[in-house]
Amino acid sequence: VAWSDTLNGTVWRGGVGAGTSGVVDLSKGSAPITGMYFSNSVLLVFKPTSIFMGYAAGPPQYYAFKEVVSGIGCIAHATIKQYREGILVWLGDDNIYVGGISRQPTSVGDRIRPRLRAITALTNIAKARAIIDRQNHLYTLFLPYIDDSRVNHFFTINLKNGSWWEGAYNIATVDITDGMEFRDNPWSTKQLLGNADGKIFESSFSYKYDLNQEFAVNWVSGVVTGRMVTGGKTDQVSLQLARVNGSGGNLNLAYYVGQGLDRFQARALGTQVLDGVSNIYVSGRPEAAEHFKMQMSNSSALN
């Protein structure tokens, strides 16, 4: 790690007359540096399985370094994103982590680890990129897909509630080489993606089309287990309210009931028109079963 003099940015690597510039060899484990992050006069340096912190030590060597995390690191520099002051999100060699300058890393990708390993071209994992939408608390990780190594598959986490979802771009030639986010107006941010062929794409909730093709949205909840009806105790469950933010298109509502985890049957509730006027669908239909799943689908993406 090398840094320039604080008064002259053209002076580097320390020595006589080099001011506060300097260089340090973080040689522990001889692993390469895979990422860096700077905030409030503190420099975090990532290796694949360790993290070092550089802090102001005064002249003659302006920075001193110490290892602050062992066993967890970063394998793709462009996945390091700041969520809040001093709080970062990044891709490690075995998970996705949240941590920071004064915060030890905690894993947030346990739910998707098997899927990450199954679809990612691990030999090209260093090509992974990320963007963050702080306004909506979303961190999106873009990965090279195992079939062709293009970076076009993504996973998004809601950093407030820990929920994940997965997607892929429908554009045949897209290969994401970088991503960034910025505040374009008060209370407004944008997320941009750079493509290998020189195109720039905007990633936003404002769009429901992929290469001018409308894409479907289908959400099915996890299994909700009630008391066993086979044991003589019957619970009745009814959908009371489905609250949806957005307008335009139709939302199809349904639920699945099952007497076992492998014997679900669908029950259609109906269609809710999303026009900003019609009441959100309310059902008073009771259903008795041991297990339930809810479904919402639409012919276009929802805000």
Side-chain angles (χ1 to χ4, degrees), residues 99-216:
I101 294 171
S102 58
R103 175 174 173 172
Q104 288 292 302
T106 56
S107 62
V108 294
D110 294 349
R111 296 180 181 180
I112 63 167
R113 282 186 67 198
R115 182 63 180 158
L116 278 174
R117 185 173 181 83
I119 66 95
T120 304
L122 296 178
T123 55
N124 291 316
I125 193 68
K127 293 173 60 178
R129 302 289 188 263
I131 56 174
I132 195 162
D133 180 351
R134 298 179 188 87
Q135 185 176 352
N136 294 296
H137 310 281
L138 303 176
Y139 173 83
T140 300
L141 177 67
F142 300 93
L143 296 161
Y145 194 52
I146 195 169
D147 286 350
D148 56 19
S149 293
R150 289 182 300 130
V151 182
N152 64 352
H153 214 84
F154 64 86
F155 292 86
T156 298
I157 184 174
N158 184 318
L159 293 167
K160 292 199 73 174
N161 62 27
S163 61
W164 281 97
W165 62 91
E166 176 184 353
Y169 282 103
N170 190 33
I171 305 171
T173 60
V174 71
D175 187 3
I176 297 169
T177 56
D178 207 352
M180 68 170 295
E181 56 285 328
F182 63 96
R183 181 172 297 177
D184 60 333
N185 283 301
W187 299 92
S188 175
T189 61
K190 282 188 177 181
Q191 291 74 40
L192 300 180
L193 301 173
N195 192 20
D197 62 6
K199 295 180 180 178
I200 296 177
F201 300 88
E202 181 179 346
S203 177
S204 171
F205 283 135
S206 301
Y207 301 103
K208 63 179 182 180
Y209 296 94
D210 192 346
L211 196 61
N212 294 322
Q213 297 180 17
E214 193 173 73
F215 53 92

Side-chain angles (χ1 to χ4, degrees), residues 228-285:
M228 299 289 287
V229 298
T230 53
K233 298 179 180 179
T234 301
D235 278 353
Q236 289 189 331
V237 177
S238 60
L239 176 67
Q240 298 297 330
L241 179 68
R243 188 176 302 281
V244 180
N245 295 322
S247 62
N250 298 322
L251 180 67
N252 304 310
L253 300 172
Y255 61 96
Y256 296 88
V257 296
Q259 305 308 318
L261 290 174
D262 59 347
R263 299 192 301 276
F264 281 101
Q265 295 182 350
R267 303 281 196 271
L269 287 172
T271 300
Q272 169 65 49
V273 178
L274 301 179
D275 56 6
V277 178
S278 302
N279 293 327
I280 296 298
Y281 194 95
V282 177
S283 170
R285 306 180 189 183

